[in-house]
Amino acid sequence: MKKSRRWRRRSSLSQMKHPVRLPERATPPRKQQTTLLQRSPKKKVKKRHRFVKEVQIFLTSTFCPPGKKKKPKLLNKLDKTIKAELDAAEKLRKKVRDRKEVTHLRPSNTLLLTPTVLSCVCFFAVPQGKAEAALEAFETLIQQHPQSPRAHYGKAQAEDDLAEKQRSNDMLQKAIGSYRDAAELPDATPDLVRAALKRRAERQQFLGRMRGAVATLERLGQIFPEDISLKNDLGVAYLLLGDNQSAKTVYEEVLALAPSDGFAKVHYGFILKSENKIAESIPYLKVCRRVNRVSFPRQPPHFERVLGHQEGLESEEPGTDDGRFYFHLGDALQRVGDKSAYHWYQLGHERGHFASVWQRSLYNVDGLKAQPWWTPNETGYTDLVKALEKNWKMIRDEAMVMMDQKTGQFVPEEENLREKGEWGQYTLWQQGKKSGTSCQAVPKTCSLLERFPEAIGCKRGQIKFSVMQPGTHVWPHTGPTNCRLRMHLGLVIPKQGCRIRCTDQTREWEEGKVLIFDDSFEHEVWQDADTFRLIFIVDVWHPQLTAYQRQTLSAI
């Protein structure tokens, strides 16, 4: 059958994997019979329909062909002359990496920024001598060609591999220096400079050298001022350093250049929320999807995603599908009374960020029993509960004396959990360590607790007094981890008006009695009494954690 002239293709676009045809309504009039993909060389084409031009520009610039990722150019003129030697050394290095095998899993205390794998990390077995041989090969090349950026970069990568094998911070520090040396050599290609400095920043962050990582990323931003991804990385580095204001400035610059950048939006929203600008943060954290649908008869699978304007969490840009953003978006919505918060919690659960809609902790160990309320027998810590309840008056009296003193007073809650009111805390243990000299004010209480390692050794918990004044409301919130349970011992409890909700169950404190709940589940507190409420909070390890896990889990 003869092919219609209307759809004849004579350009490179004819090789598209998913050829696109314009609908009939978008075809130019017959007198201007020139196809979307073909322009006659013999006569000048008259003014086209605006729709046709816009789609043509879009397709040719964004969509044709749906190409492969551009391979970085790491070789300069010198490196090209020794390419065979470089390839041989690199082949040896890659052989080392390819032959790594996972030997076992064990808890780790090094992955605070990856909640889903916080409890385990892979350690690898590298064939003896191979990593050293790869490093030696690149060092030999550097002796022969000291101005070769690619040889220096290969040496840095080999040192990086060897540091992983030996689990050596000293070797990793050498790799960090070698990445810098490679990037600073004259005639290093832009791609090599970018790769070397970016990897340097990553390894600096791994060692906890946040200021060094910031300096490296700032340097990258000066070299590549138009690279949005590097600006986003710099913003994250500022956040890790605790410099939210500098991060905010960076993301404001990114959004001025790329208003729909999803990564910048969610991080900017996170910063606004940390500043208690709840309503302002929601549009940045929340999805705002405006898809300009075009009814193409044969759309490629990813066409709508490219054409659609998606922001925030559903932009699906790298770095946006993170449990922390679902957590903070839902929290912000709850605080403005928007019931759609639970839609986002449900979505976060479906994407594997939360154990359930109610249990939204981010730093977890899989497989632990999960329920909002516990009995002493279920925890196995009956001796601790009995000791607290037997000595509750002694604990209360020490707390009351300490409250009456002008020094050592309760510190206001600093996690931005209150809607209103006054809530103070006096901490005795934090992350499994005594908090300064606080025990001097309550020596008998501390002496009692030192008999119970499940409490004072809980690196993911606290032991503290909590006083709450009338008219206080604590927002619905969840704790950071499922690795602990929280005990509340009532010390001074008004007869009416004080209550705590965990999931959909609400309970009240009693003087001299212990309540036990899992604070990784959503909970909320009201203090509507006429006088203050005083309780003693004791966090304990989840009873199903092994001794090894308790020893090796990171502190929170």
Side-chain angles (χ1 to χ4, degrees), residues 248-274:
K248 184 178 181 181
T249 301
V250 169
Y251 289 124
E252 286 173 344
E253 293 175 359
V254 171
L255 293 173
L257 296 171
S260 62
D261 188 278
F263 186 94
K265 278 182 174 292
V266 291
H267 284 81
Y268 189 67
F270 169 80
I271 295 169
L272 290 176
K273 184 172 178 292
S274 71

Side-chain angles (χ1 to χ4, degrees), residues 274-294:
S274 71
E275 297 175 345
N276 209 27
K277 297 178 180 178
I278 305 300
E280 293 178 43
S281 71
I282 292 173
Y284 292 95
L285 289 168
K286 193 175 183 179
V287 59
C288 297
R289 183 175 181 178
R290 305 179 188 90
V291 178
N292 300 318
R293 261 192 187 276
V294 182

